């Protein structure tokens, strides 16, 4: 794990983490670009901590060396598995932060979206402060991800794995995150409302030629087929279902996840939270 400290324009302590998965080079690239752009001294007392989590996996260009780091939290310092022992060190580097952003890319198509486990005022600020329209509330999904263990953490899927678009978008999203928490004052923060989707139902793949008929967060009309192959025909028989991580060839065992639209998240001022 590599940690780089940069100055903040404000009082909040925020962190951005890239390189959790070694086959997603965008995160580390974004962190390096932020390190080169941000001043080492800020006008405020806060801090911007930049973290590159898993250098061995990045060097090997594999998702992980021993275990998926984003399924290994809280981890075990005594573990022989590299990522299981790394998880507590990453969590310690993020301890006491007012806001944390973890960068990811996927095999799925845009639009980019955020993922959070617990909606704290800081998380609301992060999610509505970034240029995304959708957030996945994964509160009852898993307990081994970074955002389910580290307080005030938000993960963001910035785009397709290996694409330059993912780096460009992710970098802009990081600047927006920093502005939302007062860590960067080059321009005022821009908050927008965000649609929150809950999802926990995996859509299994069987075999043969896979077909996916709807894009991420596109509303699937009742009775329509979301995806099919030689084994499955996944027809949706309720309202308000949208696909998440939809992909024909990205994942071996699933077409994606069914999400269900929950509510709209309002920006912090409208919601009555005082700024950090
Ligand atoms: Zn990832």
């Amino acid at each position: 794990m590599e940690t780089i400290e940069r100055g903040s324009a404000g009082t909040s302590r925020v962190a951005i983490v890239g390189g959790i998965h070694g086959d997603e080079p965008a995160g580390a690239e974004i962190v390096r670009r932020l390190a080169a752009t941000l001043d080492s001294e800020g006008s405020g007392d806060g801090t911007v901590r930049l973290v590159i989590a898993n250098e061995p996996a990045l060097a090997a260009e594999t998702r992980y060396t021993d275990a998926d780091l984003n399924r290994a939290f809280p981890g075990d310092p005594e573990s022989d598995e590299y990522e299981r022992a790394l998880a507590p060190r990453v969590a310690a580097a993020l301890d006491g932060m007012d806001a944390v952003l973890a960068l990811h890319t996927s095999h799925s198509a845009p639009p980019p979206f955020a993922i959070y486990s617990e909606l704290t005022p800081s998380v609301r600020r992060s999610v509505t402060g970034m240029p995304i329209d959708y957030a996945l509330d994964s509160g009852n999904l898993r307990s081994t991800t970074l955002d389910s263990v580290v307080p005030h953490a938000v993960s963001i899927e910035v785009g397709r794995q290996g694409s330059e678009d993912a780096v460009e978008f992710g970098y802009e999203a990081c600047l927006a995150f920093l502005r939302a928490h007062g860590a960067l004052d080059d321009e005022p923060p821009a908050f927008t409302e965000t649609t929150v989707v809950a999802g926990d139902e995996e859509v299994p793949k069987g075999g043969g030629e896979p077909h996916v008929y709807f894009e991420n967060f596109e509303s699937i009309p009742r009775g329509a087929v979301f995806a099919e192959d030689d084994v499955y025909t996944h027809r949706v028989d309720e309202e308000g279902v949208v696909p998440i991580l939809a992909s024909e060839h990205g994942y071996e065992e699933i077409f994606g996840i069914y999400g269900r639209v929950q509510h709209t998240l309002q920006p912090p001022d409208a919601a009555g939270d005082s700024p950090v």
Side-chain angles (χ1 to χ4, degrees), residues 167-191:
V167 176
E168 290 304 325
F169 176 83
Y171 179 72
E172 290 303 324
C174 285
L175 297 182
F177 165 81
L178 294 173
R179 289 178 195 122
H181 291 280
L184 185 66
D185 62 359
D186 60 336
E187 52 184 84
F191 294 101

Side-chain angles (χ1 to χ4, degrees), residues 34-58:
L34 289 167
T37 310
L38 300 173
D39 295 331
S40 52
E41 299 283 325
S43 53
D45 298 333
T47 192
V48 176
R49 181 167 294 166
L50 304 170
V51 178
I52 294 177
N54 194 343
E55 302 111 309
L58 284 163

Side-chain angles (χ1 to χ4, degrees), residues 20-21 24 63 103-105 157:
I20 290 168
H21 291 135
E24 302 174 16
R63 188 169 172 88
L103 303 169
H104 290 275
T105 52
E157 292 285 353

Side-chain angles (χ1 to χ4, degrees), residues 7 66 95 107 119 121 156 211 213 228 249:
D66 294 328
D95 191 38
H107 292 295
L119 182 61
I156 182 169
H211 297 282
Y213 301 110
E228 62 186 350
H249 297 283

